[in-house]
């Protein structure tokens, strides 16, 4: 009987170790680029319409990317006073929304505007100055 309970204890310990070894905190990140998660509906463009309506079965979801002419602030909200998450370096391609969004007015890259681009950078969605976009394209 003692061997039986010892065997159960060993199996339980092995199971607990296998769970802790597979936890995300100890997982090794594979090399390569970080891809943005699949955009939610507010971050896509619907391209199929029928009489101004977008039927659920006919919606083609598109994703986009852009790069900025200058290093731009990646902000939590589409406002000049919003928290700056990081600075996106000039010329870096980043996943973005396929539409610009109105927000607070700013002056950047030689223009004054109130349009912002929703941007995915270093694991977070945020906003950057739309007037600084140098190139933009659909990725799907």
């Amino acid at each position: 009987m003692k061997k039986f309970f010892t065997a159960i204890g060993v199996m339980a310990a092995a199971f607990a170790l296998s769970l802790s070894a597979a936890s995300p905190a100890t997982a090794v990140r594979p090399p390569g680029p970080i891809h943005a998660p699949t955009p939610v509906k507010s971050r896509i463009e619907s391209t199929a319409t029928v009489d101004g309506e977008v039927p659920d079965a006919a919606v083609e979801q598109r994703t986009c990317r852009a790069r900025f002419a200058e290093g731009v602030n990646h902000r939590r909200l589409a406002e000049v006073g919003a928290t700056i998450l990081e600075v996106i370096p000039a010329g870096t391609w980043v996943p973005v929304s396929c539409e610009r969004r109105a927000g607070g007015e700013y002056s950047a890259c030689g223009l004054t505007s109130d349009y912002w681009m929703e941007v995915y950078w270093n694991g977070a969605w945020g906003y950057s100055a739309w007037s600084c976009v140098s190139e933009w394209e659909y990725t799907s």
Side-chain angles (χ1 to χ4, degrees):
M1 189 63 117
K2 186 176 181 180
K3 288 182 183 179
F4 176 74
F5 286 116
T6 302
I8 290 174
V10 169
M11 289 187 332
F15 180 70
L17 285 173
S18 70
L19 290 178
S20 66
S23 71
T26 59
V28 176
R29 178 185 221 140
I34 298 172
H35 297 286
T38 302
V40 295
K41 193 166 189 153
S42 66
R43 296 183 185 106
I44 62 170
E45 175 185 291
S46 298
T47 58
T49 62
V50 176
D51 299 325
E53 300 283 325
V54 181
D56 292 339
V59 173
E60 178 186 344
Q61 296 183 348
R62 302 201 71 176
T63 57
C64 300
R65 71 181 189 149
R67 64 175 156 189
F68 297 93
E70 299 177 9
V72 295
N73 292 328
H74 182 230
R75 297 183 180 274
R76 185 171 308 281
L77 302 171
E79 299 287 334
V80 172
T83 302
I84 297 172
L85 302 172
E86 291 189 55
V87 175
I88 301 173
T92 304
W93 282 104
V94 293
V96 298
S97 62
C98 293
E99 300 171 354
R100 62 187 183 177
R101 177 179 179 200
E105 188 174 275
Y106 61 87
S107 293
C109 301
L111 298 171
T112 298
S113 178
D114 66 346
Y115 287 116
W116 296 79
M117 185 66 81
E118 193 172 13
V119 178
Y120 186 79
W121 178 249
N122 277 349
W125 283 99
Y127 297 89
S128 294
W130 179 78
S131 64
C132 293
V133 172
S134 64
E135 293 182 71
W136 177 90
E137 67 185 20
Y138 289 111
T139 56
S140 67

